[in-house]
Amino acid sequence: MSSLEISNLRKSYGSVEVLKDINLSAESGEFVALVGPSGCGKSTLLSIIAGLESITSGEVRIEDKLVNDEAPKDRDIAMVFQSYALYPTMTVRENMTFGMECRNVPKAEQAEAIDRVAELLQIEHLLDRKPGQLSGGQRQRVAMGRALVRDPKLFLFDEPLSNLDAKLRIEMRTEIKKLHKNVGKTMVYVTHDQIEAMTLATRIAVMHKGVLQQYDTPNAIYETPANLFVAGFMGSPNMNFLSGRVVSTGGKASVRLDGTGITLPLDGVRCGVPADGQEVILGVRPEHFSPAHEQRAERKGRVSISVPVTIDMEEPTGAETILMTHIGGQEAVIVCEPDEAPRPGETMEFAIDMAKASLFDPRSEARL
């Protein structure tokens, strides 16, 4: 078990700075997901942890040991790649023992490690096959097995599920979660899929344009996003952003939505005290709308307010229906149960659970 500490890390290619003052730490046994859109710097950061990329400035420490100048082989890490990186002419057993052979690990120890890991990953029946005879999910298990036999301090995963189909990705997500629970080692996992990050990680680092936007638990990032980017990136469908202006009446603040006569009280919103007349963006997740006649939010003791919503389009997904709507002139998305969904063209009253809403500054994009 080991910890990871990254301090004031910067990485530049010539005049282009791709990582900007990154600070994050992982406790021993944590599962940290690095998530963000393509080009945000997450894979570069993983490569720096692995020792495959140099740093411009800052520090990387593994188990309190500075490893800036250490070669990858001396960092005691194991990496699982997106492409599996298996030797096609070797059997599964030979692929898994190759690294141990290079380090002159005794044959008895190799056999013991193979037996232990093969049983853990349920690939005992695949040991004598070659990669070309395996499915994508089986190859990924072998790639993980090759990392596990090393028993390293850190496991690094570089988008390991992106080559798999949707059903297999869900299955492998479960396998990786079980694996982390069983081995108890620190894992750093790169993905562009925010669902993977939410379901797997104990903490998530959300990155954008080389900047660490927020580093927190999945629940904290989802419920209290630090800024507009995090709020929009985490969650599917995306959070709704409704622009408006703060109005104060009798000492109580509300948001009057632009282009409408709709005023929403801010009593239940977890935010600072905005100034009267201040421009704001109200963030509401699609699942925090509910048909007004049911008044679910009130039954839970939360503050809610009803607004008229016009339905433009619907997307049935089976368990739920996604509604493309507009509130006044502003587009919004609502998720509701199929038997509650109004038809396109209809207008219906929906209650907004204001206790779950967020408020952002449109200029700085930061949470208020």
Side-chain angles (χ1 to χ4, degrees):
M1 301 247 288
S2 64
S3 59
L4 172 68
E5 186 80 31
I6 296 172
S7 305
N8 306 316
L9 189 144
R10 293 179 179 272
K11 172 65 179 178
S12 299
Y13 295 104
S15 61
V16 179
E17 192 172 34
V18 295
L19 290 174
K20 306 170 186 179
D21 199 27
I22 303 295
N23 290 276
L24 65 83
S25 61
E27 303 287 340
S28 291
E30 269 200 286
F31 194 122
V32 173
L34 306 179
V35 66
S38 297
C40 71
K42 56 188 184 296
S43 290
T44 301
L45 180 57
L46 194 77
S47 295
I48 286 173
I49 296 170
L52 302 176
E53 289 272 4
S54 62
I55 67 173
T56 302
S57 63
E59 292 184 346
V60 177
R61 293 180 178 273
I62 297 175
E63 209 171 51
D64 248 356
K65 179 183 178 184
L66 185 65
V67 296
N68 285 22
D69 300 319
E70 287 200 351
K73 67 182 180 63
D74 298 324
R75 297 192 180 199
D76 198 9
I77 53 95
M79 196 160 181
V80 179
F81 297 93
Q82 174 183 349
S83 61
Y84 316 133
L86 301 175
Y87 296 104
T89 59
M90 294 183 180
T91 65
V92 168
R93 188 188 305 274
E94 290 167 341
N95 266 281
M96 290 172 65
T97 58
F98 182 74
M100 292 188 287
E101 290 278 2
C102 293
R103 299 194 308 277
N104 298 314
V105 175
K107 295 289 185 183
E109 288 186 30
Q110 291 185 31
E112 183 182 346
I114 290 293
D115 290 344
R116 171 177 53 82
V117 171
E119 181 180 3
L120 178 66
L121 296 174
Q122 299 178 359
I123 56 173
E124 301 102 314
H125 60 296
L126 305 177
L127 292 175
D128 295 320
R129 296 187 193 178
K130 291 184 177 179
Q133 299 171 295
L134 306 178
S135 67
Q138 289 171 334
R139 291 181 194 180
Q140 195 55 271
R141 279 189 174 88
V142 174
M144 288 192 291
R146 184 177 54 189
L148 281 167
V149 293
R150 292 194 53 197
D151 193 27
K153 292 176 181 175
L154 286 180
F155 285 97
L156 308 180
F157 293 84
D158 190 8
E159 302 201 46
L161 308 185
S162 59
N163 288 338
L164 306 179
D165 61 56
K167 182 175 182 294
L168 195 51
R169 276 204 307 271
I170 294 172
E171 292 175 1
M172 288 303 298
R173 253 190 355 232
T174 302
E175 292 301 317
I176 291 173
K177 199 170 183 93
K178 288 179 182 175
L179 176 65
H180 178 248
K181 181 179 179 181
N182 289 333
V183 301
K185 291 294 185 73
T186 306
M187 296 184 176
V188 182
Y189 187 101
V190 163
T191 180
H192 63 273
D193 186 333
Q194 45 91 16
I195 299 296
E196 279 183 25
M198 290 289 292
T199 54
L200 288 172
T202 53
R203 281 199 284 177
I204 298 173
V206 185
M207 299 181 65
H208 183 48
K209 295 182 179 179
V211 177
L212 181 60
Q213 304 288 320
Q214 189 171 0
Y215 184 46
D216 213 327
T217 65
N219 184 65
I221 282 177
Y222 191 78
E223 296 289 345
T224 55
N227 54 42
L228 283 173
F229 174 79
V230 176
F233 189 81
M234 302 301 292
S236 181
N238 294 346
M239 180 181 278
N240 297 297
F241 297 122
L242 305 173
S243 60
R245 188 178 297 273
V246 175
V247 293
S248 295
T249 305
K252 292 189 175 182
S254 302
V255 172
R256 180 170 294 151
L257 300 183
D258 291 345
T260 74
I262 298 171
T263 301
L264 305 175
L266 294 175
D267 292 352
V269 180
R270 291 173 290 180
C271 65
V273 181
D276 187 25
Q278 180 177 350
E279 293 182 355
V280 294
I281 294 176
L282 181 71
V284 183
R285 294 207 179 273
E287 66 270 26
H288 295 152
F289 289 83
S290 60
H293 66 85
E294 293 192 1
Q295 297 181 336
R296 292 175 176 169
E298 283 84 351
R299 288 207 304 267
K300 295 177 182 177
R302 293 171 177 163
V303 177
S304 69
I305 187 71
S306 297
V307 296
V309 170
T310 303
I311 309 305
D312 300 322
M313 192 186 308
E314 64 176 357
E315 290 184 353
T317 64
E320 60 188 21
T321 296
I322 300 172
L323 303 173
M324 270 61 72
T325 72
H326 61 273
I327 301 172
Q330 302 193 56
E331 293 182 353
V333 176
I334 294 173
V335 172
C336 67
E337 295 181 11
D339 59 356
E340 299 172 339
R343 305 296 298 170
E346 294 180 354
T347 298
M348 180 174 168
E349 291 276 328
F350 275 83
I352 299 176
D353 184 354
M354 296 299 288
K356 293 288 189 178
S358 298
L359 210 60
F360 303 94
D361 183 329
R363 292 179 178 80
S364 68
E365 300 191 351
R367 182 184 185 87
L368 293 174

